[in-house]
């Protein structure tokens, strides 16, 4: 295992631009829950409709709190989030592409972060459509409301308006692809490959791919280096060596 850690460190030292791709695996370290655990038998499509949020704003907030917000603002960020932020500050990591909605990379101190599914930093008013770009509105102990009209806000990534959701998704994925297309090393951390066919297809020839994940995933067959171990342990070793 130490040999694999050394190879990862060597890859990082040789790389001119390293990008990390992260998934739910590192958010679960903070106690993040799957949404279906919080909504029970309630239909997810119903919960994310403007009518449901309008009629049940505090219930919607409690679902968000149980699934995401407690892990984000009380338990998080995890050691891995902080290690990646440290690597960015040291100039060893160019940026992060994440499928996670929780903003934990930003809270940990990372600055160059692309959230290709959107996140709690991008919110929309269910009535007037005003956009709010501040994840901290979800850390006030109650449902956030629009500063213009007072109606409830909801993350655009959960919005049932297909035009808004698809526009945000396209814009964010484009940013992710642009970042990865510039990388000479891509490190996959805690994801099994959600939408990976979209962003990895743009990797330039010669770019190395390393995976840090306790479980076997679809990346095992294509990665130059697979480290099946706890990410916090791996990066602690790489940083301290």
């Amino acid at each position: 295992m130490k040999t694999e850690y050394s190879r990862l460190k060597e890859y990082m030292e040789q790389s001119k631009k390293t990008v990390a791709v992260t998934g739910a695996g590192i958010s679960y370290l903070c106690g993040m829950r799957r949404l279906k655990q919080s909504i029970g038998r309630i239909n997810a499509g119903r919960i994310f409709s403007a009518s449901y949020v309008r009629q049940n704003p505090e219930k919607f907030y409690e679902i968000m709190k149980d699934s995401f917000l407690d892990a984000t603002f009380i338990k998080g960020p995890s050691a891995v989030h902080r290690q990646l932020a440290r690597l960015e500050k040291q100039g060893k990591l160019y940026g992060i592409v994440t499928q996670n909605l929780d903003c934990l990379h930003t809270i940990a101190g990372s600055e160059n972060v692309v959230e290709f599914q959107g996140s709690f930093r991008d919110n929309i008013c269910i009535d007037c459509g005003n956009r709010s770009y501040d994840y901290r509105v979800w850390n006030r102990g109650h449902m956030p409301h629009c500063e213009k009209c007072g109606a409830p806000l909801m993350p655009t990534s959960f919005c049932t308006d297909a035009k808004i959701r698809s526009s945000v998704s396209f814009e964010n994925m484009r940013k992710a692809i642009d970042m990865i297309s510039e990388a000479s090393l891509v490190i996959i951390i805690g994801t099994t490959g959600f939408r990976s066919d979209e962003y990895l297809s743009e990797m330039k020839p010669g770019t190395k791919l390393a995976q840090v994940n306790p479980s076997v995933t679809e990346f095992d067959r294509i990665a130059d280096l697979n480290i099946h171990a706890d990410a916090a342990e791996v990066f602690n070793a790489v940083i301290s060596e």
Side-chain angles (χ1 to χ4, degrees), residues 143-154:
M143 184 71 178
H145 290 81
C146 176
E147 292 182 355
K148 286 190 174 181
C149 74
L153 296 175
M154 66 186 303

Side-chain angles (χ1 to χ4, degrees), residues 16-22 81 84-99 103-116 121 172 174-183:
K16 293 181 179 179
K17 189 170 285 188
T18 298
V19 173
V21 177
T22 67
H81 292 99
L84 294 177
R86 182 179 172 187
L87 287 169
E88 183 182 344
K89 285 180 172 58
Q90 292 176 344
K92 298 176 181 177
L93 184 67
Y94 173 70
I96 296 169
V97 168
T98 185
Q99 71 187 57
C103 299
L104 281 167
H105 286 298
T106 299
I107 294 171
S110 293
E111 296 183 6
N112 195 12
V113 181
V114 175
E115 298 150 328
F116 67 75
R121 80 169 72 242
N172 291 340
R174 187 67 255 172
K175 291 178 181 177
I177 290 171
D178 288 347
M179 184 183 289
I180 287 176
S181 68
E182 297 176 1

Side-chain angles (χ1 to χ4, degrees), residues 41-194:
R41 296 182 179 181
I42 305 175
N43 181 274
R46 177 187 166 208
I47 288 173
F48 298 131
S49 67
S51 60
Y52 181 90
V53 175
R54 187 178 292 109
Q55 294 170 16
N56 307 278
E58 293 308 319
K59 176 60 177 176
F60 181 82
Y61 174 78
E62 286 301 318
I63 291 171
M64 295 297 99
K65 184 175 183 294
D66 186 61
S67 294
F68 303 101
L69 305 181
D70 282 349
T72 296
F73 297 115
I74 298 175
K75 300 174 184 176
S78 72
V80 180
H81 292 99
R82 297 188 188 282
Q83 288 164 331
L84 294 177
R86 182 179 172 187
L87 287 169
E88 183 182 344
K89 285 180 172 58
Q90 292 176 344
K92 298 176 181 177
L93 184 67
Y94 173 70
I96 296 169
V97 168
T98 185
Q99 71 187 57
N100 300 334
L101 310 173
D102 47 48
C103 299
L104 281 167
H105 286 298
T106 299
I107 294 171
S110 293
E111 296 183 6
N112 195 12
V113 181
V114 175
E115 298 150 328
F116 67 75
Q117 287 202 99
S119 73
F120 283 91
R121 80 169 72 242
D122 185 357
N123 303 287
I124 188 167
C125 173
I126 62 171
D127 280 354
C128 74
N130 182 48
R131 299 280 283 275
S132 171
Y133 298 94
D134 187 355
Y135 67 86
R136 292 172 296 182
V137 299
W138 293 96
N139 192 27
R140 297 172 181 170
H142 56 78
M143 184 71 178
H145 290 81
C146 176
E147 292 182 355
K148 286 190 174 181
C149 74
L153 296 175
M154 66 186 303
T156 54
S157 52
F158 291 146
C159 181
T160 53
D161 186 314
K163 284 187 177 180
I164 293 172
R165 193 172 63 248
S166 62
S167 174
V168 170
S169 177
F170 176 81
E171 179 183 329
N172 291 340
M173 182 55 80
R174 187 67 255 172
K175 291 178 181 177
I177 290 171
D178 288 347
M179 184 183 289
I180 287 176
S181 68
E182 297 176 1
S184 50
L185 170 64
V186 175
I187 307 176
I188 305 290
I189 309 164
T191 177
T192 57
F194 178 69

Side-chain angles (χ1 to χ4, degrees), residues 5 11 32 84 115 190 198 205 211:
Y5 293 177
Y11 281 1
M32 204 71 66
L84 294 177
E115 298 150 328
E198 295 178 62
Q211 174 183 212

